[in-house]
Amino acid sequence: MYQYDQHDRTLVAERVRQFANQTERYLAGELSEEQFLPLRLQNGLYIQRHAPMLRIAVPYGMISATQLRKIADITETYDKGYAHLTTRQNIQLNWPALEQVPDILAELASVEMHAIQTSGNCIRNTTTDQFAGVAEDEIEDPRPWCEVIRQWSTFHPEFAFLPRKFKIAVNGAREDRAAIQAHDIGLELARNEKDEIGFRVLVGGGLGRTPMLGTEITPFLPWQHLLTYLDAILRTYNRFGRRDNKYKARIKILVKALGIDAFRQRVNAEWENLKDGPGTLTEQALAQVSHHFSDPDYESLPTSPANADQQRADNKAFDHWVTRNVSGHKRSGYATVTLSLKSTAYAPGDISTEQLRIAADLSEAYSFGELRISHQQNLILPDVQKASLYALWQALSDAGFATPNLGLLTDVICCPGGDYCALANAKSLPVAEAIQRRFDDIDYLHDLGDLELNISGCMNACGHHHIGNIGILGVDKKGEEYYQIQIGGASGNNASLGKIIGPSFSRYDVPDVLERLLNVYVEQRVDGETFIATSRRIGLEPFKERAYAKKDH
């Protein structure tokens, strides 16, 4: 993974000292709340319902065992013994004391981490496939390109105060696991007829109050022009994006208002001033970044260990886990393993201090000391020998990481909601827990098959409810918490936005309503058909009728 050079170390150290001084001046009354606001935001610091929240950058979701142990130390010393993994592959602390945040940032800098540009109206953390570099269906490793974008976007002088926050995602595989269509800019690595690498570029996607999927602005951009073209898009947005209304300030609103053709014309006009200029990437520049992402010391291994089938046959729980939580790998004899953070009674994405340390230890024992954070708020060991899977499963079971529900109903994507967030209209975590408790039969979950359930506590859509096969949105009705349900969202290659089935439900009705929706699916599906496929085939009406049937009694 990428290692800091002296430039990186100097840049981050200077920012740590700078923010320590700014915080000291704020606490002394020398800076007003208004003056301190943009300073703390661009250092990842929010003021939440009960305490500050600090968002720590994990570039494109890659983290080392050393860094994970440092996070564990920080949660033990400065927080309440746990951290939270986010849908942007970052880490959040929910209980730091404001006066101690500079100390936390200094601790992070000691292991090449920071919180720079994790909030505010700037370019946020670039995200990608959690299996980047090891996926069987990969066209090109997206991680070097994510690092190029990180270096370009960090402290970019033109884009520190954009009309609104800006998010970029990169996909390098045939299957989109990075949800690129739901981002301000989505980049899809591709090869042209000459086998040259480039990017299909999407623009104007995003969720929140006005959800939209990105639109193709160019089908193939040669890789050398990546940064100049991104500059052109950002300059166009920075110039023409609305600043009078934060709800209409995202690039998706500008693209929609102008139309993709007119927006493309403005971008191309801007690009004429940048194309083939100093920002053009060279083979040398790319090589300097790419060498950080070379393969670890893989062994030559048989495709499958001799006793693999017998181990699965002898242990149903192990078999379930392998089926759901173990994925293919580009190298023979290896697999990728997802550590589930979705066990019942724990908030989705939360991980304790003890678990952080165990995960770090296991990554060194089984996966070259490297881990990933997924869009789905789980941890990944990317390079596990198949012969070690049974021993690893036993260790994961002891640590609470082995819930065999990856991609199933209870693998819930969920924002912190009203329990923490000052913006939320309703709580998300109790709804997630109620669903996990209701549907705790693993055989039933496996029978349902692939099903994405996403929960957000407000229209900001941090839980990505718009692109869940079933999406749940917390709303406020005269001071009471209610929940809208949507059907038909998806985040992969065939992405779609869910549609609301009707009036909202009380929190206590949600599990019952969800069960009725699932019954429709089970009754209507054909062999091998997933929930999203069935919902697209039969439409919204059968689900809507069943969801509200109790009102007729």
Side-chain angles (χ1 to χ4, degrees), residues 343-395:
S343 59
T344 303
Y346 290 91
D350 278 5
I351 181 168
S352 71
T353 298
E354 180 184 11
Q355 286 179 315
L356 287 163
R357 291 181 175 136
I358 291 172
D361 291 344
L362 293 175
S363 75
E364 289 179 331
Y366 293 98
S367 190
F368 301 102
E370 179 198 312
L371 306 97
R372 314 283 180 83
I373 297 172
S374 72
H375 159 75
Q376 291 83 9
Q377 301 172 286
N378 293 311
L379 270 178
I380 289 87
L381 300 181
D383 297 296
V384 177
Q385 292 187 13
K386 289 182 178 179
S388 300
L389 286 175
Y390 190 81
L392 175 59
W393 169 71
Q394 291 177 310

Side-chain angles (χ1 to χ4, degrees), residues 298-309:
Y298 292 128
E299 297 180 28
S300 295
L301 301 171
T303 300
S304 182
N307 62 342
D309 291 339

Side-chain angles (χ1 to χ4, degrees), residues 245-474:
N245 185 334
K246 70 176 183 178
Y247 301 117
K248 298 182 179 182
R250 297 291 293 270
I251 194 173
K252 61 188 176 183
I253 303 298
L254 178 63
V255 174
K256 181 72 172 178
L258 292 175
I260 189 61
D261 293 333
F263 183 81
R264 183 186 295 112
Q265 289 174 359
R266 296 192 185 197
V267 170
N268 288 340
E270 187 65 51
W271 194 35
E272 284 299 313
N273 302 316
L274 301 167
K275 187 178 181 182
D276 299 321
T280 304
L281 288 168
T282 64
E283 294 278 1
Q284 180 183 7
L286 182 59
Q288 287 176 344
V289 172
S290 296
H291 87 273
H292 290 287
F293 302 97
S294 57
D295 286 344
D297 294 327
Y298 292 128
E299 297 180 28
S300 295
L301 301 171
T303 300
S304 182
N307 62 342
D309 291 339
Q310 191 61 50
Q311 286 177 331
R312 297 183 68 172
D314 291 344
N315 193 313
K316 184 177 180 181
F318 176 64
D319 180 62
H320 278 321
W321 177 77
V322 172
T323 298
R324 298 310 310 187
N325 293 38
V326 177
S327 303
H329 196 285
K330 68 178 183 180
R331 291 296 294 258
S332 174
Y334 285 85
T336 56
V337 174
T338 297
L339 282 58
S340 173
L341 298 183
K342 308 295 176 63
S343 59
T344 303
Y346 290 91
D350 278 5
I351 181 168
S352 71
T353 298
E354 180 184 11
Q355 286 179 315
L356 287 163
R357 291 181 175 136
I358 291 172
D361 291 344
L362 293 175
S363 75
E364 289 179 331
Y366 293 98
S367 190
F368 301 102
E370 179 198 312
L371 306 97
R372 314 283 180 83
I373 297 172
S374 72
H375 159 75
Q376 291 83 9
Q377 301 172 286
N378 293 311
L379 270 178
I380 289 87
L381 300 181
D383 297 296
V384 177
Q385 292 187 13
K386 289 182 178 179
S388 300
L389 286 175
Y390 190 81
L392 175 59
W393 169 71
Q394 291 177 310
L396 294 176
S397 298
D398 293 340
F401 286 133
T403 306
N405 65 343
L406 186 69
L408 301 179
L409 176 68
T410 56
D411 185 20
V412 181
I413 292 177
C414 185
C415 72
D419 283 303
Y420 296 98
C421 182
L423 300 176
N425 293 317
K427 292 181 173 65
S428 302
L429 302 181
V431 177
E433 181 178 356
I435 291 169
Q436 289 171 328
R437 290 191 183 281
R438 171 68 70 87
F439 304 99
D440 62 350
D441 184 329
I442 200 66
D443 291 319
Y444 174 68
L445 294 176
H446 279 245
D447 176 68
L448 289 176
D450 292 342
L451 205 166
E452 299 171 358
L453 173 66
N454 299 358
I455 306 174
S456 298
C458 75
M459 285 298 296
N460 287 306
C462 294
H464 296 188
H465 64 280
H466 297 294
I467 52 174
N469 301 162
I470 299 175
I472 299 176
L473 169 65

Side-chain angles (χ1 to χ4, degrees), residues 126-145:
T126 297
T127 56
T128 193
D129 182 0
Q130 66 268 26
F131 302 141
V134 300
E136 291 178 303
D137 65 337
E138 192 163 84
I139 298 166
E140 185 81 3
D141 188 347
R143 294 173 300 168
W145 304 104

